[in-house]
Amino acid sequence: MRTLIIKGGQVIDPKNGLNKTADVLIEDGSIIGVDAGVNKNGAEIIDAKGKVVCPGFIDLHCHLREPGFEYKETIATGTLAAARGGFTTVCAMPNTDPVADSRAIVDFVLAKAADQGVVRVLPIGAVTKESKGTELAELGELADAQVVGFSDDGHPVRDANIMRQALLYASSIGLPVINHCEVKSISAGGHMNEGWVATRLGLKGIPNSAEAIMVARDIELAELTGGHVHIAHASTKGTIDMVRRAKESGINVTCEVTPHHLTITDEAIMGHGHDGDPYGQLKDDAYDPNAKVSPPLRARADVEAMVSALKEGVIDLIATDHAPHGTVDKQTTFADAANGISNLETALGSLMSLVHLKNIDLEGVIEKLTVAPARLLGRDDIGSLSPGTPADVTIIDTEAEWVVETSQFASKGKNTPLAGATMRGKAETTIYNGRIVT
Ligand code: DOR
């Protein structure tokens, strides 16, 4: 029997209402209990004094790129990046090549994850065949293959009737449809958020309504079908207002927010350290393609609305939308660059900036990264430190100062607008199934 004791940390376990100094006892990969003064002969001890000890994070939305885009990421590198960021479970989006629209691809992802992954991988299946939006994928077959939801992420389900059918089928299976809400006929040709920054930079913008219109449609369809629609990466105040109203009326809608939509505005595209003066000099790193993401970084009012909605509980959970890309995808003009931010290794640091600014408390952040996604996944065995569950534990040093050096990332994706930024707060140790991964 292998025994591990994490001693003297501030244990925060929102599911069990714990926030106290205690020890965590782990035996043979499972949590045995959380208590004061735990001792066992021969146990391996981790001294967590001055640190926060919490359940391993769950990321409902990330891109591991395998199969097909191994130059951007693999299951091995993506799961190691996850562990470095404090995540012990990641849900893999299906926009691989081939798309995860059949049992064979899902089986491949699970087999690779079992062989080379260092944390748990839960696959998400496609809504439509090849995510082309024209014909439903075999949702029942995908569910049998153990997918945890359906999504054509990156490719919004544009046909309302297909979305309606998807919600009907998915609800009979008990799984959510996770939609990337974007009306492409509105966003087409746009490269960043529509607003004064886009005007200043001479880039065509994407208005908030490109997101809002599809959110409105999906809420209507969730009401019609009784299906569960989960809004991926909500980014606008309008989205939040609609989700709030829908929840108040009992419609089965949930939503997530990314760390970047909580912390970075579109002004970042004017370059690091720009003071937001529309007539001011642009910085040398303006037009950084690493700040190009879909949905785009939004205006200050939207970012503030995201933080308020997170505190209010309208936003159910935080997900990274980790979207690693290769240099060929990003080292080009802003207009030609791929959308996406490599997020797993900076997510906690970004969220800690909100905690340090006292915009949100740490317990709230941990809740949105642990029990909240577990609840959405319908899983009682992850997202807490409950006795008998797998020992997935993250130890956080909330004060550790570090500089984002992309060359040090485990992820192959070095694409982040945070390169060079100083962060305060880091996952120091990540334990998965009782094993110290990083
Ligand atoms: O920025 C994004 N990148 N947004 C998405 O929805 C897809 C993702 C990707 O796959 O690169």
Side-chain angles (χ1 to χ4, degrees):
M1 172 129 55
R2 187 164 171 265
T3 306
L4 182 65
I5 304 175
I6 306 169
K7 274 211 154 294
Q10 181 194 352
V11 179
I12 301 183
D13 177 8
K15 182 177 181 189
N16 291 307
L18 287 184
N19 189 344
K20 62 174 186 186
T21 303
D23 305 335
V24 179
L25 175 62
I26 295 167
E27 274 176 0
D28 279 346
S30 295
I31 303 279
I32 301 299
V34 179
D35 218 330
V38 175
N39 283 304
K40 279 249 167 178
N41 279 344
E44 185 182 341
I45 306 285
I46 298 180
D47 179 5
K49 243 176 255 112
K51 311 282 157 62
V52 166
V53 179
C54 64
F57 304 151
I58 301 168
D59 189 5
L60 192 77
H61 185 153
C62 82
H63 299 269
L64 297 180
R65 305 298 192 205
E66 194 173 1
F69 300 107
E70 290 82 354
Y71 78 96
K72 296 178 195 253
E73 194 76 291
T74 63
I75 287 170
T77 58
T79 55
L80 186 57
R84 294 252 186 105
F87 293 86
T88 51
T89 299
V90 290
C91 300
M93 278 293 171
N95 58 341
T96 47
D97 185 15
V99 169
D101 63 356
S102 71
R103 176 170 211 133
I105 307 305
V106 175
D107 284 350
F108 169 86
V109 170
L110 286 170
K112 269 270 168 168
D115 187 40
Q116 292 167 17
V118 296
V119 299
R120 186 179 295 105
V121 176
L122 304 176
I124 294 170
V127 178
T128 63
K129 290 189 176 157
E130 295 179 64
S131 287
K132 285 192 168 153
T134 48
E135 205 183 336
L136 275 188
E138 296 291 346
L139 304 191
E141 174 189 294
L142 290 167
D144 287 346
Q146 301 305 313
V147 300
V148 295
F150 303 104
S151 184
D152 279 350
D153 185 59
H155 308 281
V157 181
R158 60 177 180 276
D159 183 310
N161 194 42
I162 289 197
M163 186 64 179
R164 175 189 181 182
Q165 289 170 16
L167 281 164
L168 277 173
Y169 276 104
S171 68
S172 71
I173 304 167
L175 292 177
V177 177
I178 304 167
N179 201 17
H180 169 130
C181 290
E182 177 185 351
V183 177
K184 292 275 190 182
S185 57
I186 294 185
S187 63
H191 304 298
M192 65 170 292
N193 183 51
E194 184 173 289
W196 68 263
V197 183
T199 305
R200 169 73 172 86
L201 293 173
L203 292 171
K204 184 168 168 357
I206 300 169
N208 286 10
S209 54
E211 177 170 304
I213 291 169
M214 200 172 277
V215 171
R217 180 203 75 174
D218 285 357
I219 288 172
E220 281 291 324
L221 292 173
E223 184 171 26
L224 176 68
T225 60
H228 175 187
V229 69
H230 178 75
I231 310 293
H233 38 53
S235 72
T236 76
K237 183 174 179 308
T239 293
I240 296 305
D241 291 342
M242 282 187 279
V243 170
R244 183 188 296 106
R245 279 199 300 275
K247 285 184 167 187
E248 282 164 4
S249 335
I251 298 170
N252 199 357
V253 57
T254 50
C255 73
E256 69 190 31
V257 67
T258 67
H260 47 276
H261 290 115
L262 283 167
T263 54
I264 314 177
T265 72
D266 56 356
E267 291 169 38
I269 306 169
M270 299 204 290
H272 279 106
H274 194 277
D275 60 7
D277 172 3
Y279 304 103
Q281 193 71 22
L282 295 179
K283 296 287 172 184
D284 289 348
D285 58 348
Y287 299 95
D288 178 5
N290 293 317
K292 185 175 176 185
V293 65
S294 172
L297 298 174
R298 297 290 188 186
R300 196 160 290 275
D302 289 305
V303 173
E304 285 169 3
M306 293 296 128
V307 176
S308 303
L310 190 68
K311 283 194 280 198
E312 188 191 339
V314 176
I315 293 177
D316 296 82
L317 57 98
I318 300 169
T320 70
D321 192 12
H322 173 70
H325 287 290
T327 38
V328 286
D329 307 308
K330 283 291 196 180
Q331 272 188 8
T332 175
T333 63
F334 198 88
D336 288 327
N339 280 305
I341 296 177
S342 181
N343 246 338
L344 282 166
E345 289 163 89
T346 55
L348 179 61
S350 295
L351 297 169
M352 284 304 302
S353 69
L354 293 172
V355 174
H356 290 307
L357 287 169
K358 304 212 183 314
N359 277 343
I360 183 158
D361 62 38
L362 181 57
E363 199 170 339
V365 167
I366 292 173
E367 193 242 324
K368 300 293 183 194
L369 288 168
T370 58
V371 60
R375 199 179 297 127
L376 190 137
L377 291 165
R379 303 252 326 216
D380 256 350
D381 59 330
I382 53 175
S384 79
L385 300 176
S386 299
T389 61
D392 296 351
V393 186
T394 297
I395 304 177
I396 304 170
D397 184 341
T398 59
E399 299 307 314
E401 286 214 345
W402 60 287
V403 175
V404 179
E405 301 269 10
T406 56
S407 61
Q408 304 299 310
F409 277 8
S411 172
K412 288 191 184 186
K414 313 299 178 192
N415 48 301
T416 172
L418 296 170
T422 300
M423 300 210 146
R424 190 167 136 224
K426 198 175 188 150
E428 187 185 75
T429 306
T430 302
I431 298 168
Y432 169 58
N433 264 333
R435 217 172 50 79
I436 299 169
V437 183
T438 57

